[in-house]
Amino acid sequence: MNSASEPLVLRAAWLLDGSGGDAVGDAALWVEDGRIVWAGPAAVLPEQAADLRSLDLPGCTLLPGMVDTHVHLVASAGPELAADIPKTEAERVLAAVANARRHLDQGVTLVRDLGAPAGEAIALARAVEARTVEGPRIVAAGPAITMTGGHIPYLGRVTDGVEGMRAAVRANLQLGARCIKVVATGGVLTPGLDPSKAAYTQPELDALVDEAHRLGLRVAAHAIGGDGVVAALRAGVDSVEHGMILDQAGVEQLGASDARYTPTFCAAEGIIEGPSAPAWIKQRARPAGAALVASFGAAVAAGARVAAGTDAGTPDNPHGRVAQEAAFMVKAGLDPRSAIRALTAEAADLLDEPDRGQLRPGAVADVLAVGGDPLTDITALQHPAAVFQAGHRVR
Ligand SMILES: [Zn+2]
């Protein structure tokens, strides 16, 4: 694949630019050199574009390539996450390559990998950027930072103490991480500490966030419920992952903060409703699953900024399903415009990728065409008709 793409005009029934506004009807999108030149109603397409090669997508909606802000590329949705991670680094990289392709096939052009044993997703991010492997653009955290006795040690760097936190952030920086993942509460998939109990102390979280931000890295906090959510927000994390059992303090803090809230409906659904997860995991997940819709509704009502992430790779939660995450959000009461914004502009902004997630002049031409109108039927997002990455058609 060469890096320059031929100029192209896409024509479709509707266009949603990702900002959360109204659809443009009878739309055109002019793409050149991998970037968007112009987007709007076909009737006022600039004259210079009239003779360019064009592709008609009748009955389709154009929107930005979707973003999944929470995936584990080394994991493949098997019954138990710990056993599902391949034992050698070589096998983990191969799993990640296959899983990355699944995202792209479904119209997901940008993902954030929030935990791998070592530098697997970081290496894959570089290979995608160099165009040696096909996949979505990847913003990788490297190993998740988790305490002794904490959640997902097998995807993480076990770290304790204030000074340990700063050292762990620096070690991930050295590995090539573009963001930091910290495990701030217990988890559903790991026995031991309760998912609504805080893992780290406030001084530990404060030190981690301070060090990460000082070095230009954003922080995602695994925080299912209780004091851990509040402590993570107080420390200044950039996103709360899961947040399934929010108490009043958590709701208020999320509403008042600029941090994004990533409810990971797909993860809860896969574990609780799927056939695979063992009974002990289902049992740990049930209280979180039962509280999730109410937590989400309260956070949205309080003004929380929502981003779409699936936690792909966890039990019965295969890669490439972020469109389904948007459908879960709508089912839980979010309006479709906001759900689409949560998996495009809002998500790209969280990942510090301002050139992506919106169809506007100058943005990278990561474009998805889906059959139908997702504002009337959000499940239209699950039926990609064409996927473009930096102007190249990849599906
Ligand atoms: Zn996760």
Side-chain angles (χ1 to χ4, degrees):
M1 199 160 36
N2 53 12
S3 56
S5 62
E6 205 189 322
L8 175 66
V9 175
L10 301 175
R11 296 170 188 272
W14 298 280
L15 181 146
L16 290 163
D17 69 5
S19 68
D22 286 337
V24 173
D26 190 16
L29 180 76
W30 172 9
V31 169
E32 198 163 326
D33 289 332
R35 300 254 168 186
I36 293 164
V37 180
W38 188 92
V44 292
L45 178 70
E47 231 172 81
Q48 311 92 287
D51 296 330
L52 298 177
R53 187 167 69 93
S54 79
L55 176 66
D56 284 332
L57 296 155
C60 286
T61 300
L62 299 174
L63 62 158
M66 295 184 287
V67 184
D68 191 335
T69 66
H70 189 148
V71 306
H72 298 280
L73 289 167
V74 298
S76 302
E80 227 178 302
L81 184 61
D84 190 37
I85 312 293
K87 293 294 164 266
T88 70
E89 191 161 352
E91 290 169 298
R92 292 193 296 270
V93 170
L94 291 171
V97 169
N99 288 328
R101 182 70 227 191
R102 291 186 177 100
H103 284 283
L104 202 54
D105 283 341
Q106 295 305 313
V108 182
T109 52
L110 174 62
V111 302
R112 184 173 61 168
D113 190 280
L114 288 184
E120 299 89 345
I122 293 168
L124 184 53
R126 289 175 179 156
V128 168
E129 202 168 349
R131 294 174 177 274
T132 53
V133 174
E134 284 197 345
R137 183 173 174 84
I138 300 164
V139 174
I145 296 171
T146 189
M147 71 169 195
T148 299
H151 175 53
I152 53 165
Y154 48 85
L155 287 179
R157 186 183 294 287
V158 175
T159 302
D160 298 292
V162 167
E163 286 314 308
M165 297 303 250
R166 292 193 187 272
V169 169
R170 291 174 195 176
N172 280 3
L173 177 78
Q174 184 177 33
L175 200 58
R178 282 196 50 210
C179 60
I180 295 294
K181 160 84 170 288
V182 63
V183 178
T185 69
V188 163
L189 301 172
T190 312
L193 186 67
D194 191 273
S196 53
K197 288 255 188 311
Y200 285 117
T201 62
Q202 191 70 55
E204 287 173 309
L205 288 174
D206 290 348
L208 175 131
V209 174
D210 181 64
E211 190 66 11
H213 285 175
R214 192 178 70 77
L215 298 171
L217 302 171
R218 296 193 178 172
V219 179
H222 161 106
I224 291 187
D227 291 351
V229 173
V230 174
L233 286 166
R234 204 173 279 152
V237 301
D238 300 280
S239 67
V240 168
E241 306 297 316
H242 315 303
M244 292 162 169
I245 314 174
L246 296 176
D247 56 18
Q248 194 52 37
V251 167
E252 281 168 17
Q253 288 252 5
L254 259 181
S257 151
D258 252 354
R260 301 325 194 275
Y261 171 41
T262 305
T264 64
F265 282 96
C266 284
E269 189 259 355
I271 293 166
I272 295 166
E273 308 296 337
S276 305
W280 72 266
I281 291 180
K282 284 181 182 283
Q283 199 183 330
R284 279 179 78 84
R286 269 188 207 108
L292 176 53
V293 170
S295 292
F296 180 71
V300 168
R305 297 177 69 172
V306 178
T310 60
D311 208 3
T314 53
D316 290 314
N317 183 15
H319 289 266
R321 285 208 310 164
V322 79
Q324 208 150 323
E325 185 70 22
F328 281 126
M329 288 177 177
V330 170
K331 202 174 158 197
L334 192 64
D335 68 281
R337 278 177 180 73
S338 301
I340 290 168
R341 184 177 157 79
L343 56 74
T344 54
E346 196 72 43
D349 187 61
L350 168 62
L351 272 51
D352 205 7
E353 292 279 346
D355 280 359
R356 289 178 164 81
Q358 286 192 62
L359 300 183
R360 53 157 178 80
V364 174
D366 287 352
V367 183
L368 168 65
V370 298
D373 172 14
L375 291 184
T376 38
D377 177 9
I378 194 77
T379 66
L381 296 174
Q382 294 169 37
H383 307 291
V387 182
F388 295 83
Q389 194 177 30
H392 292 277
R393 189 161 184 178
V394 291
R395 180 193 154 141

